[in-house]
Amino acid sequence: MINQVFFFYFSAVIVATSVMAITRRSVMHGVLYMLLLFFHIAGLYLFLNAEFISAVQIIVYAGAIMVLFLFVIMLLNLRDDIKKRQFIATWPMGLLVSSGILMIILMAMLTIKTGTQGQWGIAQIERLTHTVAIGTVMYTQYLFPFEVASLVLLVAIIGAMVLAKKRIK
Amino acid sequence: MVPCNWYMWLSAIVFCIGMFGFITRRNIIIMLLSIEIMFNGVNISLVALSHYLEDLAGQVLVFFIIAVAAAEAAIGLALVILLFRNKETITVDDLNELKG
């Protein structure tokens, strides 16, 4: 019972803040609603026994990505852009398309068949602690994708610096 | 106990809200924010399935998705700065130079 009350609270806030984030005229307000959204998603992860992912969500999304967005918004002078029309002229068509795809996904979920249970049950994760368990999987089974992810981050660092630096003639 | 389906519905709803934002807003920063919302919708579904199927592969995948989202945000915002420096606007409908 208490589980469901918490789930309804978190899902209501997640849906409400994501709608608010994409409909606000001011970009700054949108980013602050996104911050609230990320904290509630982290709460939902805690609820699913994923402590490490929850901490990464707060540190990386709320701490790094949103601060990056805030810095860029403060760097740009958006006074003229805010006065313009914010939605495209045919936005009802966008609403139709996205709600149609939502219907398709929900219909597909009615016929979903889940696979076999894995070996990382709640008792084993509790015995090892969650971070050790996820590290064991990540550094053995998924070592190569981990290295590729580090390469992607390196490319992003160099690319962002090369793109955003001032051209010196 | 909360059934797994509820998490999947929530994930689908959040994904579609993000998609609506991406295809209807004209502000390029809000479009990037919508992409982050879509990533988060997928992440909810992956963590929920990982918990209910007792397999940690889903959470490792979420970790990689967060890394890719960080890279994407850095590159995207660098492009936004470059765009604003050249055109003085970030409204995508005003960036129609290739339009004949």
Side-chain angles (χ1 to χ4, degrees), chain A residues 17-18 20-21 24 28-38:
Chain A
T17 48
S18 52
M20 291 297 265
R24 291 306 91 190
M28 188 67 95
H29 291 173
V31 171
L32 293 178
Y33 277 114
M34 283 294 282
L35 211 56
L36 204 57
L37 170 72
F38 288 150

Side-chain angles (χ1 to χ4, degrees), chain A residues 65-110:
Chain A
I65 298 182
M66 281 302 114
V67 172
L68 198 65
F69 272 94
L70 286 178
F71 268 120
V72 169
I73 293 165
M74 289 179 205
L75 274 177
L76 308 180
N77 178 15
L78 299 177
R79 290 210 183 86
D80 296 335
D81 282 322
I82 272 178
K83 294 195 188 92
K84 289 176 187 157
R85 212 158 37 79
Q86 293 294 313
F87 287 92
I88 58 170
T90 55
W91 67 268
M93 194 53 88
L95 189 60
L96 191 71
V97 168
S98 51
S99 52
I101 289 180
L102 178 63
M103 283 302 138
I104 291 172
I105 296 173
L106 291 184
M107 296 295 258
M109 272 175 198
L110 291 178

Side-chain angles (χ1 to χ4, degrees), chain A residues 107-127:
Chain A
M107 296 295 258
M109 272 175 198
L110 291 178
T111 59
I112 196 166
K113 282 194 175 58
T114 52
T116 52
Q117 297 275 317
Q119 51 172 344
W120 292 94
I122 193 68
Q124 189 165 6
I125 292 176
E126 201 174 13
R127 194 167 55 79

Side-chain angles (χ1 to χ4, degrees), chain A residues 22 24 27 38 45 47-49 57 61 77 81 84-88 109 118 120 130 142 163-164, chain B residues 7-9 23-27 36 40 43 51 53-54 57 59 69 82 84-85 89-91 94:
Chain A
I22 62 163
R24 291 306 91 190
V27 185
F38 288 150
Y45 290 166
F47 214 56
L48 287 165
N49 294 314
Q57 171 89 8
Y61 262 123
N77 178 15
D81 282 322
K84 289 176 187 157
R85 212 158 37 79
Q86 293 294 313
F87 287 92
I88 58 170
M109 272 175 198
W120 292 94
H130 182 254
Y142 292 93
L163 283 174
Chain B
Y7 287 101
M8 308 274 284
W9 291 337
I23 58 183
T24 56
R25 285 299 293 249
R26 300 163 79 225
N27 188 322
E36 303 291 332
N40 273 287
N43 283 353
H51 174 68
L53 291 179
E54 301 185 342
Q59 295 182 20
L82 206 62
F84 191 81
R85 199 180 286 155
T89 180
I90 53 165
T91 304
D94 297 343

Side-chain angles (χ1 to χ4, degrees), chain B residues 15-81:
Chain B
F15 183 84
C16 288
I17 290 171
M19 190 169 61
F20 173 70
F22 185 79
I23 58 183
T24 56
R25 285 299 293 249
R26 300 163 79 225
N27 188 322
I28 204 164
I29 294 182
I30 300 275
M31 287 166 80
L32 285 174
L33 277 185
S34 305
I35 295 177
E36 303 291 332
I37 294 179
M38 287 158 83
F39 275 133
N40 273 287
V42 175
N43 283 353
I44 292 172
S45 157
L46 280 173
V47 175
L49 281 175
S50 158
H51 174 68
Y52 283 97
L53 291 179
E54 301 185 342
D55 195 336
L56 281 179
Q59 295 182 20
V60 175
L61 205 55
V62 168
F63 194 77
F64 293 145
I65 288 177
I66 290 176
V68 170
E72 173 258 331
I75 296 278
L77 290 171
L79 287 175
V80 169
I81 289 179

